[in-house]
Amino acid sequence: MTDSKINSMLMKLPDETGKGDVMAATSVLQQKANEIRNNSINWQSYLQSQMIGDDDYRFITEFLSSDGSKRDTLLEEQRGQCAKTFLSLLEHISKDQTVQYILTIMDDMLQEDMNRVEIIREYAKKKRENVWSPFLNLLNRPDGFIQNMTSRIIAKLACWSRDPMEGSDLTFYLTWLKDQLQTPGNEYVQTTARCLQMMLRDEKYRLVFAGMGGVSVLANILSGRINFQIQYQLSFCLWVMTFSPQLVEQMNKHKIIPILGDILNDSVKDKVTRIILAVFRNMIEKPEDAAMVKENCVAMVQAKVLKQLSILQQHKFDDEDIMADIEFLTEKLQASIQDLSSFDEYSTEVKSGRLEWSPVHKSERFWRENAPRLIEKNYELLKMLVHLLETSRDTLVLAVASYDIGEFVRHYPRGKSIIEQLGGKQMVMQLLAHEDSNVRYEALLAVQKLMVHNWEYLGKQLKKDPASESSSTGVKTKG
């Protein structure tokens, strides 16, 4: 899909003024905006108190009394005055109720015709002023409506104007959006998500957002308890981010596939299902690295996506795109299973952070053949196992990770010293006091394996050819 098609799809998203699901997306902002539009502002009193000038008074009263073609003509003939008046009102008036009104009618003006953002841009350029400063300052106001209506205007200016947002202004705004997403009890969170949907359509913006930890934030929110509207909006953000292949690797680090897999398995809304399938398709289609594509396919299989696809195939969708995505993903995931090695399966499971007693863990052959591979990429998988021991609260994960640490030590000559250097021995020792009996048991076995110096003397050795043992473990057999 081309960038222009992405842009087209985003622009076709219903406005917050629509009905149904989208109305719920910004119901708080929209309901308040409807109330504010009905307010009557005494502009005459502002003129008499010299808070606004004659030209601003004349323009705002004429603007508010016009509509349709008459307003188009006014804005075309008085472009400079329009920008001056709105910016002047925002600068000189401090009363919340009036500022709310100014921002609402300004947002309405831009919503009517996206080309009107150039009125603001042209004026700032002519005056050699920063077009963003007046609006970014309003994001610091304590009033939630003022903040979020301003945010809508900034997103429109940044996405619809010929001159993009850059530098510290862009960083400030994206940081504000990121913080708002994480603010507990934020009643405007769906408005924030909508602004982010607009911003991340632009590759420059999404690369900056990703660079400030944006993917991690989206992952954390999506893994929590949120309503389907936020699930859809933030999954949409991930979808547009997958059009930058370099960001797909970041998504893997933050376990986006298992997180979205869980949402997909529980989803009852077609639009949530549709956007998640679109994310998954891009995570297979967009990366140029074949190894990453393979890893993503395996991660989807482990997240039980293939099983959910078979269920979705029985469902009749009106949307042809969703059916095409189901067929595409089914074909790719089934093909990936055919080529799946036991190490691929194990590696993907560790990276997902969702360890379970899958067959590879208890396979003697697997550990004989693959223990040396755990030190690849600067001990990547071992570091992940140790990290799970340190951070996971899942008793199953802790038990399996402890077992794997012990098996690595048992089958790799320098395993003991490597695990000690990575802090794994300390983590396992701490689990000896864990409240769960299975975790304590597996930790005890792992500690015992860490204490043994020569595995050739263990009485529980499997019966096998000594030469084979010597070559697979690297430990010389005494005899």
Side-chain angles (χ1 to χ4, degrees):
M1 188 180 293
T2 62
D3 286 342
S4 62
K5 191 168 182 182
I6 301 172
N7 182 68
S8 175
M9 178 175 178
L10 185 56
M11 295 307 175
K12 288 178 182 176
L13 282 176
D15 296 329
E16 286 87 349
T17 51
K19 297 179 180 179
D21 290 341
V22 179
M23 181 63 178
T26 49
S27 59
V28 174
L29 189 80
Q30 196 54 49
Q31 288 168 14
K32 291 187 179 181
N34 287 335
E35 295 171 5
I36 289 166
R37 289 186 188 96
N38 294 324
N39 289 343
S40 178
I41 305 298
N42 189 346
W43 300 109
Q44 185 73 35
S45 67
Y46 284 113
L47 177 64
Q48 291 173 345
S49 61
Q50 298 184 337
M51 293 182 70
I52 63 174
D54 288 338
D55 55 347
D56 293 330
Y57 173 77
R58 283 195 300 271
F59 178 83
I60 194 67
T61 52
E62 187 175 357
F63 174 84
L64 292 172
S65 63
S66 65
D67 56 18
S69 59
K70 187 178 179 182
R71 177 172 292 184
D72 290 339
T73 302
L74 174 67
L75 293 176
E76 190 58 40
E77 292 176 350
Q78 300 190 45
R79 292 172 71 86
Q81 185 61 50
C82 170
K84 175 188 175 299
T85 296
F86 275 115
L87 293 174
S88 177
L89 294 176
L90 289 174
E91 180 182 358
H92 294 106
I93 296 176
S94 58
K95 186 178 179 182
D96 280 355
Q97 184 180 13
T98 307
V99 174
Q100 290 172 351
Y101 184 84
I102 296 166
L103 290 170
T104 300
I105 61 174
M106 188 175 185
D107 183 69
D108 288 344
M109 176 188 75
L110 299 179
Q111 191 69 41
E112 288 169 6
D113 184 350
M114 61 189 292
N115 293 316
R116 290 174 180 170
V117 296
E118 298 302 335
I119 294 175
I120 309 298
R121 184 192 67 82
E122 289 167 4
Y123 178 80
K125 198 168 187 177
K126 184 177 179 180
K127 301 287 287 186
R128 296 185 178 180
E129 295 175 353
N130 185 326
V131 68
W132 309 108
S133 294
F135 302 104
L136 294 178
N137 289 336
L138 289 172
L139 295 179
N140 294 319
R141 292 281 287 256
D143 182 80
F145 182 91
I146 289 176
Q147 290 180 6
N148 285 276
M149 190 55 83
T150 300
S151 178
R152 278 172 55 91
I153 292 172
I154 294 173
K156 288 180 172 68
L157 291 172
C159 295
W160 295 348
S161 176
R162 286 197 292 269
D163 291 342
M165 200 175 196
E166 296 175 325
S168 59
D169 295 327
L170 176 60
T171 301
F172 182 90
Y173 179 51
L174 289 177
T175 300
W176 185 86
L177 288 176
K178 184 163 67 79
D179 291 344
Q180 292 300 303
L181 281 179
Q182 300 175 92
T183 302
N186 178 11
E187 61 180 340
Y188 296 102
V189 66
Q190 291 161 326
T191 303
T192 304
R194 169 67 182 181
C195 292
L196 198 58
Q197 283 178 268
M198 290 186 66
M199 293 296 291
L200 297 185
R201 179 198 65 203
D202 187 298
E203 181 166 38
K204 295 186 295 293
Y205 299 158
R206 58 181 176 256
L207 291 178
V208 173
F209 182 70
M212 60 174 61
V215 176
S216 175
V217 170
L218 296 179
N220 289 337
I221 298 172
L222 283 166
S223 60
R225 295 179 61 84
I226 53 176
N227 63 49
F228 76 86
Q229 182 64 35
I230 293 297
Q231 288 178 342
Y232 169 76
Q233 290 181 274
L234 298 191
S235 296
F236 186 101
C237 290
L238 290 174
W239 176 68
V240 292
M241 292 180 84
T242 58
F243 283 88
S244 298
Q246 63 269 47
L247 299 185
V248 174
E249 186 174 357
Q250 275 199 42
M251 294 185 186
N252 293 341
K253 290 179 181 177
H254 296 290
K255 302 176 176 54
I256 290 297
I257 289 174
I259 290 170
L260 292 185
D262 287 345
I263 295 174
L264 180 66
N265 292 337
D266 296 334
S267 174
V268 294
K269 293 291 183 178
D270 284 358
K271 71 176 187 177
V272 175
T273 298
R274 182 186 305 112
I275 198 65
I276 290 177
L277 293 180
V279 173
F280 285 164
R281 178 166 187 156
N282 272 8
M283 292 185 78
I284 294 175
E285 275 191 325
K286 299 303 177 184
E288 297 178 359
D289 184 351
M292 183 183 297
V293 172
K294 182 178 182 180
E295 185 177 313
N296 290 346
C297 287
V298 177
M300 290 176 202
V301 172
Q302 290 195 327
K304 299 179 174 58
V305 173
L306 197 53
K307 179 181 178 182
Q308 188 61 24
L309 289 172
S310 65
I311 295 173
L312 292 174
Q313 283 178 324
Q314 312 304 316
H315 187 73
K316 292 187 177 180
F317 295 95
D318 295 331
D319 188 341
E320 292 182 2
D321 287 343
I322 194 169
M323 294 304 299
D325 287 346
I326 290 171
E327 291 177 12
F328 172 87
L329 289 168
T330 299
E331 179 185 339
K332 293 294 183 182
L333 298 192
Q334 285 180 340
S336 72
I337 292 176
Q338 307 302 319
D339 300 330
L340 187 62
S341 70
S342 58
F343 186 76
D344 292 331
E345 181 184 346
Y346 178 78
S347 175
T348 306
E349 186 180 327
V350 173
K351 290 176 181 178
S352 76
R354 301 184 177 197
L355 300 182
E356 55 186 48
W357 290 116
S358 52
V360 290
H361 297 279
K362 293 296 183 75
S363 167
E364 190 77 17
R365 179 181 176 183
F366 170 79
W367 288 107
R368 282 202 315 272
E369 296 176 351
N370 294 291
R373 298 194 63 183
L374 268 67
I375 69 169
E376 293 175 357
K377 298 181 180 179
N378 193 28
Y379 310 107
E380 179 183 41
L381 292 180
L382 289 175
K383 289 177 179 177
M384 289 179 178
L385 285 173
V386 173
H387 182 69
L388 288 174
L389 290 176
E390 183 178 4
T391 61
S392 180
R393 297 293 176 265
D394 188 318
T395 56
L396 178 59
V397 171
L398 292 174
V400 177
S402 297
Y403 179 85
D404 287 0
I405 291 290
E407 287 300 277
F408 170 73
V409 169
R410 189 159 78 91
H411 289 88
Y412 191 71
R414 294 186 299 107
K416 179 182 175 182
S417 62
I418 291 172
I419 292 301
E420 287 181 354
Q421 290 169 16
L422 296 176
K425 182 178 180 180
Q426 181 184 354
M427 291 297 107
V428 173
M429 295 283 282
Q430 289 178 3
L431 293 179
L432 292 174
H434 197 277
E435 59 184 14
D436 183 82
S437 60
N438 289 325
V439 173
R440 292 198 304 271
Y441 175 75
E442 296 299 343
L444 178 60
L445 289 182
V447 169
Q448 289 173 345
K449 293 170 186 175
L450 280 161
M451 298 303 179
V452 175
H453 293 286
N454 192 331
W455 279 99
E456 296 304 324
Y457 289 107
L458 277 189
K460 294 183 179 180
Q461 280 286 81
L462 291 178
K463 294 180 181 179
K464 53 183 176 273
D465 178 58
S468 170
E469 173 66 6
S470 176
S471 63
S472 64
T473 63
V475 179
K476 293 182 180 179
T477 307
K478 293 189 177 183

